[in-house]
Amino acid sequence: MELIQRTPDLSAYLAADEAIDHHHPVVRRTALRLAADVTDSYAYAQAAYEFVRDTVPHSQDSGDLRVTWRASDVLALGTGICHAKAHALAALLRAEDIPTALCYQRLRHDDGQGHVVHGLVAVRFHGAWHRQDPRGNKPGVAARFSLDGEHLAWVPDPERGEVDHPDLYAAPHPAVLGALKAAPDRPHLWATLPTAL
């Protein structure tokens, strides 16, 4: 699949916004701590990815009912769904001047009933975009950081109505961000997340 950079100006993929608040002290402290242990931007990107994937539990897996959407809150509270974790990873990467996009998949719900939009990121290295899924691993999910082929949590199955969206967004999709911001808890969020983009 060919990824489509929706905003021609690459600097848009380094910008801060209300969700990807990479100037926030919590994000900056985390980025500085991660950067201290690596030698280059590639190693930093992998360290940031593994930090978000492994140390911020996906709230569905952990049973946490809180909804986070702002990167600094995801890092401070240590919880979030896929979209929130993607915002946190994007903020950590952009904090170190690594262009990062938000991207999406349409997947079947875990219970097999209906669909939901799943969030991930793409990083730009070697003149190309590389998708990464910081959702968090669990039995049946083994995503990992890679600049040589994708190792995402899921590969969409078109026969199940699943879709890989090729669009790379500089900011969170408004439908996704609106659902996150309006949800008082995760059960409400599950009922209101978009089923398609």
Side-chain angles (χ1 to χ4, degrees):
M1 176 182 69
E2 183 177 346
L3 299 175
I4 301 168
Q5 184 177 315
R6 288 183 53 103
T7 305
D9 185 355
L10 194 60
S11 68
Y13 296 91
L14 293 168
D17 61 31
E18 64 175 338
I20 304 171
D21 57 341
H22 62 73
H23 297 306
H24 191 283
V26 169
V27 179
R28 292 299 317 149
R29 279 195 303 272
T30 305
L32 288 171
R33 188 173 70 248
L34 292 169
D37 295 329
V38 298
T39 57
D40 58 32
S41 60
Y42 308 111
Y44 174 83
Q46 181 171 351
Y49 168 83
E50 291 173 353
F51 176 82
V52 173
R53 184 194 65 189
D54 299 341
T55 69
V56 178
H58 188 287
S59 57
Q60 173 72 17
D61 297 347
S62 67
D64 195 325
L65 298 181
R66 295 174 294 173
V67 174
T68 54
W69 56 270
R70 187 177 286 117
S72 57
D73 291 337
V74 175
L75 296 175
L77 298 174
T79 190
I81 67 164
C82 60
H83 300 289
K85 293 182 67 164
H87 299 169
L89 179 56
L92 289 172
L93 294 171
R94 291 182 185 187
E96 291 295 312
D97 296 320
I98 298 170
T100 307
L102 298 166
C103 42
Y104 302 94
Q105 297 174 319
R106 179 178 190 248
L107 302 172
R108 292 286 284 183
H109 268 296
D110 289 342
D111 63 8
Q113 303 297 313
H115 293 86
V116 68
V117 172
H118 173 63
L120 48 159
V121 305
V123 296
R124 189 161 178 89
F125 280 116
H126 310 303
W129 291 99
H130 307 272
R131 293 192 306 167
Q132 314 294 329
D133 192 338
R135 181 233 178 267
N137 290 337
K138 63 178 186 174
V141 176
R144 66 179 173 85
F145 184 84
S146 175
L147 301 178
D148 182 26
E150 293 186 336
H151 297 277
L152 306 177
W154 292 283
V155 175
D157 180 355
E159 292 186 6
R160 293 169 44 94
E162 297 180 334
V163 177
D164 249 333
H165 292 288
D167 298 307
L168 302 175
Y169 296 87
H173 192 283
V176 171
L177 187 58
L180 287 165
K181 291 172 71 173
D185 57 33
R186 189 170 36 78
H188 182 275
L189 179 62
W190 251 221
T192 58
L193 274 172
T195 59
L197 295 180

